[in-house]
């Protein structure tokens, strides 16, 4: 299971949110590159980055920082404001390994199919962010009305192989991942699943690895000092 420590970017700084609310934005570090180096020293080979400026208003203002992190040799998975083939081209030009399509997968599923046809299924992930089982878009502020399992099945039919699932109720709360909803996803689709939101301790990583999920994103737990990242990487196994 790959471990993806997270860097959420807003106005050039590393921030965290509670349950995805922009009203709760608080800075946890000033230099994303320094944070990324610490991840690398702990053994992480992947990093999950979110451009919150892009996620909210579609304008990515943190491209240079993303490029600097990718230049360290880390495999960067980036989401936030990716809404067109032009956006994908720009993102990959920064050295990003995998792009995450979130809101646009709901509003423009044809983009997902075209992205996979152009770049391959391994370089495209779809982010499914849900509250009470309903998919949220536009930085988690708009309710699409879609059931997360039905939407996952739709994405799989389009050729999606990697899904990042976030249960918004657990995000930033250090309450543990949404194991139940992840298990339902495992039954609904054969895609590789990356668990996002709620990881609170090293035991959560052990439990997710036993479930057979493909990856786990670690955010708040790292910044709060609640998890040993180096041990999490060891517990995850081969990082490829």
């Amino acid at each position: 299971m790959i471990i993806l420590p997270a860097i959420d970017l807003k106005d050039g700084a590393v921030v965290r949110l509670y349950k995805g609310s922009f009203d709760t934005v608080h800075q946890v570090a000033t230099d994303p590159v320094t944070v990324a180096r610490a991840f690398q020293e702990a053994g992480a080979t992947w990093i999950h980055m979110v451009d919150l400026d892009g996620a909210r208003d579609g304008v990515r203002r943190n491209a240079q920082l993303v490029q600097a992190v990718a230049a360290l040799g880390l495999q960067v998975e980036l989401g936030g404001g990716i809404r067109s083939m032009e956006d994908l081209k720009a993102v990959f030009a920064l050295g990003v390994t995998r792009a995450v399509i979130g809101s646009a997968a709901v509003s423009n599923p044809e983009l997902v199919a075209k992205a996979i046809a152009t770049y391959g299924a391994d370089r495209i992930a779809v982010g499914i962010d849900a509250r009470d089982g309903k998919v949220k878009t536009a930085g988690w502020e708009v309710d699409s009305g879609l059931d997360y399992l039905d939407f996952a099945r739709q994405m799989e039919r389009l050729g999606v192989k990697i899904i990042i699932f976030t249960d918004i109720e657990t995000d930033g709360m250090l309450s543990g991942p949404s194991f139940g909803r992840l298990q339902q996803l495992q039954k609904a689709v054969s895609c590789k699943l990356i668990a996002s939101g709620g990881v609170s301790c090293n035991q959560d990583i052990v439990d997710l690895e036993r479930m057979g999920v493909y990856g786990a994103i670690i955010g708040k737990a790292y910044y709060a000092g609640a998890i040993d990242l180096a041990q999490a990487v060891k517990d995850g196994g081969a990082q490829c």
Side-chain angles (χ1 to χ4, degrees):
M1 180 176 74
I2 62 171
I3 303 299
L4 301 101
I7 290 179
D8 290 359
L9 296 169
K10 190 174 191 306
D11 300 323
V14 184
V15 303
R16 298 301 301 162
L17 289 72
Y18 294 102
K19 297 186 179 181
S21 172
F22 280 84
D23 293 334
T24 68
V25 168
H26 58 287
Q27 184 173 309
V28 292
T30 55
D31 182 13
V33 177
T34 299
V35 174
R37 285 199 185 99
F39 291 165
Q40 197 170 35
E41 289 169 4
T45 60
W46 280 88
I47 186 169
H48 179 81
M49 301 187 76
V50 179
D51 186 336
L52 291 172
D53 296 306
R56 193 172 199 184
D57 57 28
V59 179
R60 291 185 309 280
R61 303 186 180 94
N62 302 288
Q64 289 184 331
L65 293 172
V66 173
Q67 188 172 39
V69 170
L72 296 176
L74 287 159
Q75 297 188 81
V76 175
E77 177 180 85
L78 177 69
I82 299 174
R83 300 176 183 177
S84 67
M85 292 301 291
E86 290 76 17
D87 288 337
L88 285 166
K89 183 178 180 180
V91 161
F92 287 131
L94 299 175
V96 167
T97 302
R98 182 157 60 223
V100 184
I101 302 175
S103 299
V106 175
S107 61
N108 184 16
E110 293 82 6
L111 171 65
V112 175
K114 190 172 182 180
I116 289 172
T118 303
Y119 295 104
D122 289 339
R123 300 199 71 190
I124 302 295
V126 165
I128 299 181
D129 307 323
R131 178 179 278 124
D132 297 324
K134 298 299 181 182
V135 179
K136 295 281 190 174
T137 63
W140 303 354
E141 296 184 323
V142 177
D143 188 346
S144 72
L146 295 170
D147 176 81
Y148 82 109
L149 296 175
D150 290 341
F151 183 60
R153 294 186 187 102
Q154 178 190 359
M155 291 297 103
E156 184 174 39
R157 288 194 293 271
L158 290 177
V160 171
K161 301 297 183 186
I162 301 169
I163 288 174
I164 301 171
F165 175 68
T166 305
D167 187 335
I168 297 169
E169 286 300 308
T170 69
D171 186 72
M173 301 307 293
L174 296 180
S175 58
S178 184
F179 291 106
R181 292 198 188 278
L182 283 165
Q183 287 173 335
Q184 289 180 297
L185 265 176
Q186 285 181 314
K187 294 176 182 177
V189 296
S190 60
C191 303
K192 294 178 178 178
L193 300 181
I194 298 177
S196 173
V199 170
S200 63
C201 61
N202 286 88
Q203 186 60 46
D204 288 340
I205 298 299
V206 172
D207 293 341
L208 287 169
E209 196 279 330
R210 288 174 178 167
M211 276 183 65
V213 300
Y214 164 67
I217 293 172
I218 297 174
K220 175 69 177 297
Y222 173 83
Y223 296 103
I227 197 166
D228 181 331
L229 181 58
Q231 185 62 48
V233 170
K234 291 177 183 176
D235 290 337
Q239 300 295 296
C240 58

